[in-house]
Each structure stands twice: as C-alpha cells, then as structure tokens.
Amino acid sequence: MQKPVRWGILGAAKFARQFMAPAIHAAEGAQLVALATSSADKAEPFQAFCPDLTVYQDYDALLASPDIDAVYVPLPNHLHVEWSLKAMAAGKHVLCEKPMTMRAGEFDQLIAKRDETGLLAAEAYMIVHHPQWQMVRRLIDDGAIGKLAHVSGKFSFDNRADTDNIRNKAETGGGGLRDIGVYVLGSARFATGQEPDDVSAQIRWENGIDAMAEVQAQFPGFSYSAYVSIRMHPYQEMLFHGEGGVIRLTAPFNARVFGEARVELHRAGLEVQVTRFPADDHYKLQVEAFGWSIRDGVDYPCPLEFSRGTQAMMDRIFEVAQPL
C-alpha cells in the first residue's frame, strides 16, 4: 500500500475549517498533519476533528517541515501567487484556493515553477471533480441536446453586512467575479471545451469591488450570458440550451450546501430525465484526484493551463466592462 499524501494548510481560514480540512481528513490516500496559524483559538476547531494535528506558528515553519508533502493555500487572493511559489520552492505540491492569480499572466511563473520542480500545482477548482459536471460534458459530447446554441449561468449571494470580509475589500482582491465568477466562466469552458472569441460586460462597482457583473460572450459554437453578484439573494444555476434539448444544473457550484446536485435533461415531448447526486463531496473528490496524480501519474482534471484560461476570460471582462 502506498503512503498517504501528508497535507499541511497555510492559515486557519473559515473556508478551510468548514470544507477543505474535513475533506483532506476524510479523503482516501490523504492525511492532514499540519496547520500554520499563530492563533490557538483558530487552531482549536481543526484539532477537534484532527487531534494529532501539528500547529506551526508561521507559514515558513510549516513549509520547512520534511513531514509534509502537499499544502493547501486558502489565504486572501492577493497572497496566492507568493505562497504557492514559496511552497513549490520548499518542495511541496500545491493546491491553492481560487482565484489562484489576480491576472492571467501571473500563471506563467507558476507553470514555470511547476515544470522546473516536477511538482503538482493546481487551483482548487473543485467542481470539475463532481460527477455532475463530468456527466454534463459527456452529454454535450454525445449530442444529447443536439447542437449547443446558448449557455447561461447565474450565481449570487449577499454579504453586504459582512464589511470585514476579504470579498468586500479591494486591497485583498475582493469582488464577485474573482470569488464566484470563476464558476460561471470556467464551468462553461470545462463542459464545452471551447474558448470565447468575443466578450462584453457591465459591472456595478462598490468601494472598488465588483458587486455585480453581467457578462455576454460569443464562443465558436454558441452564445453565452451570465451574471454574478455578492449583493443579491443566494441563487445558482447553469443552463446548456441546444437545438434538441436542455441541460439544467440546480446546484452546480455548492452541491449539498445550496441544495442537492441534480442534472435535468429536457428533451422533446416535455420529457425530463433527472439524475440526482445526493452524497458526492467534490472537495473530498478533489483531494483524492490530487493524490492519484501525485502517486500514480494520473492526469489532473484541472491543470494550471485550464485555470489560466478562465483568468484570461475574467481579465478581458474587467478590460471591456461598462458601468452597470
């Protein structure tokens, strides 16, 4: 039996505590062994489900440990590139929270470091590991809805009351597009395998962050529209509309949190086939896929080059956006 991948986490972020640390702890072939935080209070909830966790007082100390194979980076957005590069320089594989960079060009140094070291480095774009998205890509490829004509996406929540949240601060790379826009953009690219030819957008700015964005794009084979907002009632949906049917995802991004993941296939005669995914945990599946790639050389479903493409589309949106 192969040894498990030993994981460390840089920072006691709320998201790490709620989702990724439990996923690493539960994943097959993974072992959560370390956390870097100077706060004993923040470390305590992690130790509650992982009593043997080693807590380091700073990030560099964790990276220096020979007992850690891979690190998960859930730091504020503007720190992702710096600490991903430091982790690879220390010989650690890296799974970094999205968006991994603030601009597409920053991926080049991450790709170069990955290639130089031979380590696995990836953005934590968990949805591609969920079987609902693998099913959607297969349905489109197999022609289940005929020629694809239009893709639309919606993702929103309201955090205006949480003024200290990094998503509400321009200096930490906040805003809706960087936080949740990656999902409506990247999922369309993942499911179709296509890249946009033309992009337009409208953005409503609030204290230096994009509080709402509406996006339109033309891909080689279909048109695209989406909106994201961090000032609206929580909602999410992805729709793939073809000449012969429609694919609808009811919880495309926060499966089991927003609701049960379901793929609806609408076809002629008002026929609707529903496939349910009540138990799949895409965070755990992501950790397991990361481990398979490290140990067995299995191709990782979300390489840096894919994430660079999503960031390039987002960069273009920021460049062309008009005020909303």
Side-chain angles (χ1 to χ4, degrees):
M1 179 181 295
Q2 292 179 312
K3 292 183 178 179
V5 175
R6 299 167 299 177
W7 286 83
I9 299 177
L10 296 185
K14 178 181 177 181
F15 186 84
R17 182 182 76 241
Q18 290 183 328
F19 296 105
M20 280 302 296
I24 294 169
H25 187 58
E28 180 182 346
Q31 183 180 5
L32 180 58
V33 300
L35 171 71
T37 179
S38 59
S39 170
D41 290 342
K42 289 183 178 180
E44 188 174 344
F46 292 82
Q47 293 171 309
F49 65 84
C50 190
D52 295 332
L53 194 69
T54 299
V55 178
Y56 293 89
Q57 294 298 303
D58 61 71
Y59 304 152
D60 288 309
L62 186 149
L63 294 181
S65 171
D67 299 324
I68 298 167
D69 305 310
V71 296
Y72 168 62
V73 182
L75 300 172
N77 296 341
H78 68 299
L79 299 175
H80 288 175
V81 172
E82 174 188 354
W83 285 99
S84 293
L85 289 172
K86 286 182 177 180
M88 282 189 279
K92 314 301 183 188
H93 303 282
V94 177
L95 182 64
C96 179
E97 209 31 77
K98 51 77 198 159
M100 198 168 185
T101 74
M102 301 291 286
R103 299 284 296 182
E106 293 179 298
F107 271 101
D108 296 341
Q109 55 187 317
L110 294 169
I111 291 170
K113 194 66 174 178
R114 176 202 66 187
D115 293 346
E116 173 195 334
T117 60
L119 296 163
L120 176 59
E123 184 178 60
Y125 195 60
M126 74 292 184
I127 67 169
V128 301
H129 304 278
H130 198 290
Q132 69 171 337
W133 279 105
Q134 294 154 19
M135 179 183 182
V136 169
R137 184 151 75 166
R138 185 170 61 253
L139 287 171
I140 293 172
D141 288 345
D142 291 347
I145 57 172
K147 185 179 183 298
L148 183 61
H150 185 75
V151 176
S152 62
K154 306 168 185 176
F155 198 2
S156 64
F157 65 91
D158 190 345
N159 74 341
R160 76 186 75 201
D162 191 3
T163 55
D164 290 331
N165 193 298
I166 60 172
R167 296 165 183 82
N168 284 321
K169 297 181 178 181
E171 63 271 22
T172 53
L177 278 167
R178 290 192 175 99
D179 188 47
I180 57 177
V182 292
Y183 294 117
V184 296
L185 304 178
S187 63
R189 296 177 55 249
F190 177 78
T192 66
Q194 294 192 29
E195 302 292 345
D197 293 325
D198 186 55
V199 175
S200 62
Q202 301 80 43
I203 292 178
R204 187 173 80 241
W205 295 95
E206 180 182 300
N207 299 321
I209 63 165
D210 54 296
M212 180 174 182
E214 297 181 359
V215 180
Q216 303 80 38
Q218 188 63 50
F219 286 71
F222 59 91
S223 58
Y224 171 89
S225 62
Y227 68 77
V228 296
S229 176
I230 55 175
R231 296 293 183 268
M232 293 170 65
H233 181 77
Y235 189 73
Q236 57 186 258
E237 179 185 64
M238 285 295 294
L239 203 70
F240 297 83
H241 201 147
E243 294 179 355
V246 171
I247 299 169
R248 176 175 178 258
L249 291 88
T250 60
F253 311 126
N254 292 122
R256 301 198 310 162
V257 176
F258 181 75
E260 180 184 73
R262 288 184 289 138
V263 175
E264 300 175 359
L265 178 59
H266 299 246
R267 292 200 279 199
L270 300 181
E271 173 192 351
V272 182
Q273 298 177 6
V274 180
T275 304
R276 301 169 59 244
F277 301 88
D280 293 282
D281 182 344
H282 46 202
Y283 300 111
K284 177 174 173 286
L285 293 171
Q286 175 179 240
V287 173
E288 291 174 348
F290 199 88
W292 293 331
S293 184
I294 292 172
R295 293 190 306 268
D296 305 325
V298 177
D299 288 340
Y300 192 67
C302 188
L304 292 179
E305 288 81 0
F306 174 84
S307 297
R308 191 189 195 285
T310 300
Q311 188 61 51
M313 186 176 179
M314 193 182 305
D315 290 353
R316 183 62 178 152
I317 290 168
F318 282 123
E319 290 167 4
V320 304
Q322 298 296 313
L324 181 63

